[in-house]
Amino acid sequence: MLILGINSAGLELSLTLLGDGQKVSFRHFDERRGQSEVILPLTESCLREVNATLQDIDAIAVVAGPGSFTGLRLGIAAATGLAQAVGCPVGALNRFTLVRNSLAQPENVAIVFQSLRDELYVEFESGKPLMMTAQDIAGEIVRRGGQWALAGDGAALVPLDLPFIRTRDESELVASAANVLLMAHTSLPPAVPFYLRAPDVSNAKTFEHATIHG
């Protein structure tokens, strides 16, 4: 089974191609701007690496959020459009759930993601996401007591000297989660965005030079 995982929820774009449950190709684009122009070429590049075409994709999974309005809209629109063209299932999963489910010991781990606001996305307990400043996150961890660790791309912004748990890229996590569901003959969750707050309205900015890694 060939599954494409897409993550545009963070400040960068990543794609993972999963073949029979194993990562077979990965691409990363390290800028927020210009993602819409590169998402299809990156997908095709992943497929060429394993001598496959778009028609060989069996399912597409995209990270649902939380994240920027533009990023989530881009990823879900691209995933839905590709799935319609290919005729395969498509679904989206919450990034907090993806990361927490990948942890060997998910308790007492604060998962922190960057945002485009002064506040960060954070989850101290499963299913209870919040938005808080880095200072407030640190204060809440101290208040709760016990041995804590941090995970997520915003962990370094929290002013505490705590263990950091590095996880697999979220595009791989979402593809792996979709693979588990499909192997169990379970439908993928709907491809809809997950927001913690209403999006800000901003003007479009010009495309900037970025680097593609593969």
Side-chain angles (χ1 to χ4, degrees):
M1 182 180 293
L2 200 61
I3 299 178
L4 175 65
I6 300 173
N7 178 31
S8 59
L11 304 185
E12 303 173 352
L13 170 70
S14 60
L15 296 92
T16 293
L17 199 61
L18 219 64
D20 295 328
Q22 302 297 317
K23 182 172 71 173
V24 294
S25 187
F26 174 77
R27 295 293 183 273
H28 173 240
F29 183 71
D30 66 0
E31 293 287 347
R32 287 184 54 239
R33 309 298 174 187
Q35 293 183 6
S36 59
E37 287 89 349
V38 302
I39 191 166
L40 182 56
L42 289 181
T43 299
E44 293 173 333
S45 176
C46 282
L47 291 165
R48 284 196 300 271
E49 186 174 346
V50 296
N51 297 314
T53 68
L54 289 173
Q55 297 302 320
D56 295 317
I57 297 176
D58 295 297
I60 300 174
V62 59
V63 177
S68 73
F69 173 75
T70 301
L72 296 181
R73 182 177 59 179
L74 163 68
I76 289 175
T80 302
L82 283 172
Q84 290 176 345
V86 173
C88 70
V90 60
L93 293 99
N94 183 308
R95 65 196 305 207
F96 281 118
T97 301
L98 291 168
V99 170
R100 194 166 296 280
N101 287 349
S102 73
L103 301 175
Q105 295 182 337
E107 295 79 16
N108 279 29
V109 178
I111 302 172
V112 186
F113 296 120
Q114 297 185 58
S115 76
L116 300 178
R117 304 172 185 261
D118 292 334
E119 295 175 306
L120 305 171
Y121 304 114
V122 60
E123 185 185 81
F124 301 101
E125 302 172 50
S126 179
K128 297 180 179 180
L130 303 165
M131 290 196 75
M132 302 173 67
T133 66
Q135 288 287 348
D136 287 342
I137 292 171
E140 179 63 17
I141 291 173
V142 172
R143 186 191 69 80
R144 290 175 178 239
Q147 301 296 316
W148 282 82
L150 298 169
D153 64 13
L157 301 175
V158 179
L160 287 176
D161 185 14
L162 295 175
F164 174 70
I165 302 175
R166 186 177 301 278
T167 61
R168 290 175 292 161
D169 188 88
E170 290 169 48
S171 64
E172 182 180 352
L173 292 179
V174 76
S176 297
N179 182 66
V180 170
L181 291 173
L182 293 171
M183 292 297 291
H185 305 288
T186 302
S187 299
L188 300 181
V192 295
F194 174 73
Y195 298 116
L196 289 185
R197 290 187 181 173
D200 292 325
V201 177
S202 60
N203 295 324
K205 296 182 180 179
T206 57
F207 171 72
E208 301 170 357
H209 176 72
T211 304
I212 297 175
H213 305 282

